[in-house]
């Protein structure tokens, strides 16, 4: 009886404007970012994700300038814009920065920002690990990229093949050593981010959200995180052997003393080819969230696309040798890896056809995000088809070390990670403030927003049964969302009724138990929003910020 009376009193306190405002102010103070120089000691996923994004974008611009310098040098014959040594340094750093300092880190940046919001969590499980990974990434990136300003940059290609890089006669100086040291920090950062994202996906899901109910983006993050854990250790092992040979003269890659330079290629490409899918799958994950939104229907084949993502990650570890067809490997191994290289096109094609089917069965709105997605898919298809051609051994023998391979690589990368920064902006808009022309019809009806504290929202890639089966505890134990009537399931609700319902829930639940809200990773304290704050644009529903 006393417990019931206490609950009633707390409910009445929530109707007091001063009590609610005080609780909101204390919550904001607890979760506020540090001020001044202490801002750089923040460990919140939002700050760390923004740092990651800004740093990755800065490195991309740096690598883009290097690419322009190469194109200027190659524009006319007998050009002396760059010296031969400096051109090799520019070429090496362009590939290294794009692959290690932009393509993989931009995925980690996007995931650190978006994953907690999609799972309804306050933060990732190990915030300090995220910050540690970022600073390792920055140290390694500055070390590698800054070497070119001191004439000490590596100049043997971003793949650093021995014996060109291990013999002092061919590569004097400290360029390869700087490359190895910088990559060591970057590898630690990538593994730290992978652990953080895997544990966050498995352990920070709200009550009732089983694995088969997760948003597709969380599935892709889980797959890519596992790929990073398995792909980077071989490269770390190769880096250790590489540096031992350079510093102490150990003959791991020296054929004159019993070593084998092909060993480095195996270690590098066991990492290198899964990295292509580590780069590609996160971009497809963002596409998987945008396509059903602008098709105005849930995605078709949720289970198929999850299996395709897992299959892509698994098969990608069995085809690294297609980078080494011209090294004289046995014919039987070439046949095996050629078949595996062609087989990976099957799960990739499943994902593309799922997107096409979703678009064909929906009512597509070709606003700016959807246009970017269309261009990314078209560009990637070109890169994928040229990849299938290169998987055929006789064709690869003819095209190896030609601009056909260069074009294939850049079509794949431009269709994937180069679109991630733009797609990140689009997904953030879809999560927080859907554009007025996206899901609002002329009849004044609006689709419900993605309410991250209440469960899974509509239109961001989850299957129909998620909305019927997922129920999150709100406020006190046992409280559940009201089950919609069958007539309203899957239907678009009037914006006015959505606003009224969410406004009432926000007023009731905002600030309910300061300690409980801070201590739980699933229950988010929402500010009490008034009608003016809830209504935005042309008859849109509420905009609730986690």
């Amino acid at each position: 009886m006393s417990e019931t009376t206490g609950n009633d009193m707390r409910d009445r306190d929530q109707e007091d404007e001063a009590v609610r405002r005080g609780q909101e102010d204390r919550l904001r103070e607890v979760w506020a970012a540090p001020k001044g120089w202490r801002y750089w000691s923040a460990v919140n996923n939002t700050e760390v994700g923004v740092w990651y994004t800004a740093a990755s974008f800065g490195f991309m611009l740096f690598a883009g300038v290097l690419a322009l310098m190469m194109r200027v040098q190659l524009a006319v014959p007998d050009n002396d814009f760059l010296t031969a040594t400096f051109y090799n340094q520019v070429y090496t750093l362009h590939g290294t920065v794009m692959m290690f300092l932009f393509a993989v880190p931009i995925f980690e940046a996007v995931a650190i920002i978006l994953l907690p919001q999609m799972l309804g969590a306050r933060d990732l499980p190990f915030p300090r690990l995220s910050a540690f990974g970022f600073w390792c990434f920055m140290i390694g990136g500055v070390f590698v990229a800054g070497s070119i300003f001191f004439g000490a940059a590596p100049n043997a290609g971003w793949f650093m093949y021995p014996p060109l890089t291990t013999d002092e006669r061919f590569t004097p100086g400290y360029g390869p050593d700087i490359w190895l040291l910088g990559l060591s920090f970057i590898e630690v950062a990538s593994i730290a981010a992978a652990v953080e994202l895997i544990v966050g996906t498995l352990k920070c899901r709200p009550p009732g959200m089983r694995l088969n109910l997760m948003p597709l983006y969380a599935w892709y993050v889980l797959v890519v995180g596992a790929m990073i854990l398995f792909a980077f250790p071989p490269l770390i092992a190769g880096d250790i052997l590489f540096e031992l040979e350079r510093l102490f003269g150990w003959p791991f890659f020296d054929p004159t003393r019993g070593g084998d330079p092909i060993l480095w290629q195996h270690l590098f490409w066991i990492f290198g080819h899964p990295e292509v899918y580590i780069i590609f799958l996160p971009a497809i994950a963002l596409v998987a969230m945008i396509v059903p939104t602008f098709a105005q229907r849930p995605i078709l084949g949720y289970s198929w696309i999850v299996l395709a993502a897992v299959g892509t990650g698994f098969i990608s570890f069995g085809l690294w040798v297609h980078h080494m067809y011209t090294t004289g490997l046995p014919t039987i191994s070439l046949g095996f890896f050629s078949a595996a290289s062609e087989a990976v096109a099957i799960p990739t094609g499943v994902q593309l056809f799922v997107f096409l089917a979703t678009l064909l069965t929906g009512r597509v709105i070709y606003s700016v995000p959807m246009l970017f997605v269309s261009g990314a898919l078209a560009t990637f298809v070109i890169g994928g088809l040229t990849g299938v051609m290169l998987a055929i051994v006789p064709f690869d023998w003819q095209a190896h070390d030609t601009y056909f391979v260069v074009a294939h690589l850049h079509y794949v990368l431009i269709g994937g990670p180069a679109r991630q920064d733009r797609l990140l902006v689009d997904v953030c808009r879809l999560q927080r403030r859907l554009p007025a022309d996206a899901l609002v019809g002329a009849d004044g009806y609006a689709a419900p927003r993605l309410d991250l504290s209440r469960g899974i929202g509509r239109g961001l890639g989850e299957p129909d049964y998620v909305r019927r089966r997922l129920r999150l505890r709100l406020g006190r134990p046992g409280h559940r969302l009201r089950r919609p009537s069958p007539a309203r399931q899957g239907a678009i609700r009037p914006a006015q009724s959505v606003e009224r319902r969410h406004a009432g829930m926000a007023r009731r639940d905002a600030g309910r138990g300061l300690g409980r809200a801070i201590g739980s990773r699933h229950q988010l304290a929402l500010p009490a929003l008034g009608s003016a704050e809830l209504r935005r644009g042309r008859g849109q529903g509420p905009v609730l910020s986690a």
Side-chain angles (χ1 to χ4, degrees):
M1 183 67 179
S2 60
E3 182 179 352
T4 304
T5 305
N7 289 336
D8 293 339
M9 292 180 64
R10 284 194 295 269
D11 289 340
R12 286 196 296 270
D13 287 342
Q14 299 309 311
E15 301 299 327
D16 188 338
E17 183 72 18
V19 172
R20 289 191 291 109
R21 292 298 180 189
Q23 292 173 340
E24 293 170 19
D25 292 341
R26 292 196 295 275
L27 278 173
R28 292 192 181 97
E29 182 179 356
V30 168
W31 289 100
K35 304 296 183 182
W37 287 104
R38 293 190 61 195
Y39 171 75
W40 300 106
S41 67
V43 296
N44 184 272
N45 73 289
T46 304
E47 276 76 25
V48 174
V50 170
W51 300 344
Y52 246 126
T53 304
S56 300
F57 188 69
F59 283 123
M60 185 196 73
L61 293 179
F62 173 73
V65 172
L66 297 180
L68 291 176
M69 295 171 66
M70 286 192 292
R71 301 319 302 174
V72 171
Q73 171 63 31
L74 298 174
V76 295
D78 300 324
N79 196 351
D80 58 357
F81 177 71
L82 301 176
T83 64
T85 300
F86 192 68
Y87 178 87
N88 289 338
Q89 293 179 350
V90 168
Y91 168 80
T92 302
L93 279 190
H94 168 73
T96 300
V97 172
M98 278 297 191
M99 298 298 287
F100 294 102
L101 297 177
F102 170 66
V104 175
I106 194 65
F107 149 69
E108 297 164 353
V110 173
I112 287 174
I113 293 174
L114 293 185
L115 186 63
Q117 302 181 46
M118 291 193 176
L119 298 180
R122 266 293 186 183
D123 205 334
L124 291 169
F126 309 119
R128 288 179 176 83
L129 185 61
S130 297
F132 171 76
F134 167 75
W135 289 113
C136 284
F137 161 71
M138 277 300 298
I139 292 172
V142 170
F143 206 72
V144 172
S147 61
I148 196 171
F149 300 105
F150 301 95
N155 60 357
W158 72 277
F159 30 78
M160 299 294 285
Y161 282 169
L164 178 63
T165 53
T166 54
D167 195 324
E168 287 287 342
R169 295 176 299 169
F170 305 131
T171 52
Y174 297 101
D177 304 287
I178 292 173
W179 187 86
L180 290 169
L181 182 60
L183 250 64
S184 299
F185 283 96
I186 298 167
E187 291 155 0
V188 169
S190 297
I191 292 177
V195 171
E196 177 84 328
L197 296 173
I198 291 173
V199 177
T201 303
L202 295 178
K203 293 297 185 181
C204 290
R205 288 174 286 125
M209 184 191 285
R210 298 189 298 274
L211 287 176
N212 65 324
L213 300 178
M214 289 195 307
L216 284 175
Y217 186 80
W219 265 111
Y220 277 94
V221 168
L222 185 61
V223 171
V224 173
M227 293 175 66
I228 290 176
L229 287 185
F230 284 97
F232 274 80
L235 180 63
I236 295 174
D239 289 348
I240 294 173
L241 300 182
F242 196 114
E243 191 60 27
L244 286 175
E245 178 161 338
R246 281 189 59 85
L247 287 181
F248 304 110
W250 292 17
F252 295 109
F253 309 118
D254 187 355
T256 63
R257 294 184 292 165
D260 187 358
I262 300 299
L263 173 61
W264 168 259
Q265 294 195 33
H266 281 293
L267 292 173
F268 184 85
W269 290 117
I270 287 176
F271 149 80
H273 198 81
E275 188 195 23
V276 173
Y277 294 94
I278 291 171
I279 294 168
F280 159 67
L281 288 178
I284 291 296
L286 296 180
V287 172
M289 307 302 280
I290 294 176
V291 164
T293 300
F294 287 92
Q296 303 185 81
R297 60 149 302 133
I299 197 162
L300 289 174
Y302 175 91
S303 300
W304 282 103
I305 199 169
V306 170
L307 291 174
V310 175
T312 301
F314 180 79
I315 298 175
S316 68
F317 282 90
L319 42 86
W320 75 91
V321 171
H322 76 217
H323 295 270
M324 304 165 57
Y325 282 165
T326 59
T327 58
L329 295 174
T331 305
I332 188 171
S333 65
L334 296 183
F336 171 81
F337 286 103
S338 178
S341 302
E342 295 175 19
V344 77
I346 297 174
T348 305
V350 169
Q351 297 170 75
L352 296 177
F353 281 113
V354 165
F355 298 146
L356 292 177
T358 303
L359 293 173
L360 291 174
T361 56
R363 295 176 297 170
V364 184
I365 298 173
Y366 287 101
S367 57
V368 172
M370 192 61 229
L371 293 176
F372 268 91
V373 167
S374 302
L377 291 177
T379 305
F380 176 76
V381 166
I382 298 174
L385 292 177
T386 53
V388 173
M389 297 167 66
L390 289 170
I392 302 172
V393 177
F395 182 86
D396 183 85
W397 285 343
Q398 306 303 317
H400 193 77
D401 281 346
T402 68
Y403 266 95
F404 189 92
V405 178
V406 176
H408 158 69
L409 172 67
H410 287 81
Y411 271 120
V412 172
L413 296 183
I414 292 175
R419 294 280 188 256
Q420 282 198 58
D421 45 4
R422 172 64 210 187
L423 297 181
L424 169 62
V425 175
D426 297 333
V427 171
C428 289
R429 291 176 65 198
L430 295 173
Q431 282 191 282
R432 296 303 185 91
R433 290 175 174 81
L434 287 174
D437 60 347
L439 296 178
V440 180
D443 54 0
Y445 283 68
R449 296 289 177 257
L450 176 61
D451 184 358
L452 296 169
S453 67
R454 310 293 185 211
I456 299 301
R458 294 195 52 183
L460 285 182
E462 67 284 346
D464 279 331
Y465 58 80
V466 170
R467 298 194 299 276
R468 297 195 296 269
R469 298 171 63 184
L470 183 59
R471 299 290 183 266
L472 302 184
R473 291 195 298 268
L474 298 175
R476 53 187 177 276
H479 179 79
R480 297 185 181 277
L481 290 174
R482 178 173 60 87
R483 183 183 180 88
S485 63
R488 301 185 69 181
Q489 285 186 5
I492 297 179
R493 301 176 180 177
Q496 185 176 3
S497 66
V498 175
E499 173 187 335
R500 185 164 54 248
R501 178 171 65 88
H502 282 288
M505 295 173 72
R507 284 193 297 270
R508 184 183 69 233
D509 295 326
R512 185 190 294 271
L514 179 61
R516 183 193 307 167
I518 295 176
S520 171
R521 62 174 177 262
H522 303 312
Q523 298 169 1
L524 307 188
L526 298 180
L529 303 176
S531 176
E533 295 174 274
L534 291 172
R535 301 282 296 199
R536 297 180 186 274
R538 300 175 296 172
Q540 291 192 51
V543 180
L544 299 181
S545 300

